Amino acid sequence: MDLLPGVSSATIDTDRLRTHYLESGPTDAPVIVMVHGNLSTGRFYEHLMPALPEYRVLAPDMRGFGRSEPAPIDATRGLDDWADDLDAFLRALGITAPTHLVGWSTAGAAIARYATARPAASLTFVDPVSPHGFGGTFPDGTLCFPDAAGSGGGGANPELVQRLRDGDRGTDSPFSIRNVMRGLYWAPEHTEAREDVLVDEVLLTLVGDGGYPGDSTASQNWPGLAPGVTGILNALSPKYCDWTGLVDVAEKPPVLWTHGGRDLVVADGSMLEFGTLGEAGIVPGWPGADVYPPQPMVGQIRALLERYAEAGGSVRTEIFPDSGHGPHLDAVDRWLTVFRDFLAGR
């Protein structure tokens, strides 16, 4: 790989799986671990690493993605596979002190689950998945249907899945990963200088039942599908994904929540969520808002972090009004300033 100056690449065997990662900074410096989200890898943080020279920054490729061992995800554990993999990764490196954890999107749940069971120096959420998972919940997190219908692997677009399988790097379909990134990962007017690199990284995804999107089951409830038991989208289902327990942690790490104001993925009214699609008439047969409302994802995050603060935790919130799903990508300078100030206690 042709990496940025100051960034190196390595692979380490842990007691769970062989993990590939990027690293920068002095080995004796305070540690930051940056955990990527769904359909991405550690290289989605590479551009940030040289700007943090006083820290040891690690960016692993998580299970199912990048150059790490292609191991399946047990979705019935939510994001605990990722949390346990992260723990194994740090132990393999001999890192025992609490680290600063950054989690983008899916990884927000992973770092929260990690911190529920283990000490952390701080938690930085970047447009995290709702603490109640993705899809099919009322505002309070209660499931719309007991089987979590409308969430999980069956909700993936089949053309996107096939184009990932085919290694499509083009732009002739809205479901090519290049166009998906342009439309969802960052603001539409942002031009990503490393787009080719990031496309190639996503195309390393483990595609199938154990990876992306995961398996699915039929449901008698609208919209006719329910989560399976393997793969990343099922791990994000509210049937399994739950990081509300963060509120009950005795030693609460300080929290920074950064979120793009124009995020279309994790949003109140996300167009990737069946409640919103049903209300808009895009998916027929919607049973109505009293049965299956659009999921207020940002509101759910805010409510959980308010409870965290009321329980004694420190929470800083920064909304990036012009950013999409990745303010660390389309508002790099401001995001780094906010992050550095947070780490410094300012």
Side-chain angles (χ1 to χ4, degrees):
M1 288 189 294
D2 186 14
L3 299 172
L4 296 175
V7 180
S8 62
S9 168
T11 300
I12 190 167
D13 288 320
T14 79
D15 57 22
R16 287 180 58 81
L17 79 164
R18 187 175 64 257
T19 300
H20 173 264
Y21 63 100
L22 302 183
E23 180 170 9
S24 67
T27 57
D28 59 350
V31 178
I32 298 171
V33 185
M34 296 184 160
V35 189
H36 66 80
N38 186 18
L39 292 179
S40 59
T41 72
R43 293 199 77 178
F44 280 72
Y45 290 119
E46 181 188 358
H47 62 295
L48 304 177
M49 299 172 77
L52 297 162
E54 69 272 45
Y55 295 94
R56 182 184 185 184
V57 186
L58 303 168
D61 290 346
M62 300 307 289
R63 179 180 295 251
F65 297 95
R67 293 170 175 80
S68 290
E69 180 182 350
I73 296 169
D74 179 356
T76 67
R77 306 186 69 231
L79 271 297
D80 282 358
D81 264 0
W82 275 23
D84 291 350
D85 290 346
L86 183 58
D87 176 62
F89 170 65
L90 292 173
R91 285 189 286 105
L93 289 172
I95 297 171
T96 57
T99 63
H100 300 284
L101 300 175
V102 179
W104 177 32
S105 193
T106 292
I111 66 168
R113 294 293 297 180
Y114 178 98
T116 299
R118 309 165 185 89
S122 71
L123 300 175
T124 295
F125 296 113
V126 186
D127 297 61
V129 64
S130 163
H132 305 292
F134 195 99
T137 74
F138 290 100
D140 66 357
T142 305
L143 292 174
C144 296
F145 293 114
D147 64 353
S151 68
N157 182 280
E159 184 178 343
L160 169 61
V161 175
Q162 188 58 52
R163 287 179 178 272
L164 289 172
R165 267 188 220 281
D166 294 343
D168 176 26
R169 302 179 76 256
T171 59
D172 63 340
S173 166
F175 301 109
S176 69
I177 192 59
R178 188 181 298 273
N179 284 332
V180 168
M181 287 199 303
R182 290 175 178 177
L184 297 178
Y185 285 35
W186 46 73
E189 61 272 14
H190 173 72
T191 299
E192 178 52 52
R194 299 173 64 242
E195 184 178 277
D196 287 345
V197 169
L198 301 184
V199 167
D200 288 344
E201 289 294 299
V202 178
L203 292 177
L204 297 172
T205 297
L206 174 63
V207 180
D209 286 352
Y212 182 89
D215 61 344
S216 181
T217 60
S219 174
Q220 293 182 343
N221 299 310
W222 186 86
L225 58 91
V229 297
T230 64
I232 192 66
L233 291 192
N234 293 312
L236 289 167
S237 164
K239 186 174 182 179
Y240 309 120
C241 180
D242 178 359
W243 53 274
T244 59
L246 187 65
V247 171
D248 302 319
V249 172
E251 297 295 327
K252 292 178 168 58
V255 167
L256 170 63
W257 172 31
T258 62
H259 209 100
R262 297 164 67 188
D263 188 355
L264 300 177
V265 179
V266 178
D268 293 345
S270 168
M271 290 304 291
L272 302 182
E273 189 268 326
F274 276 103
T276 301
L277 295 172
E279 184 179 57
I282 296 171
V283 177
W286 182 56
D290 56 334
V291 175
Y292 204 115
Q295 184 183 2
M297 301 179 190
V298 173
Q300 290 174 335
I301 298 166
R302 182 173 290 110
L304 188 281
L305 293 181
E306 286 174 353
R307 288 174 50 209
Y308 188 81
E310 290 167 359
S314 169
V315 177
R316 175 177 175 178
T317 298
E318 291 286 340
I319 303 300
F320 292 69
D322 297 324
S323 288
H325 188 53
H328 65 301
L329 295 166
D330 62 17
V332 176
D333 292 342
R334 185 189 164 202
W335 190 90
L336 275 168
T337 297
V338 169
F339 181 56
R340 293 176 65 91
D341 285 352
F342 169 68
L343 293 180
R346 294 191 290 267

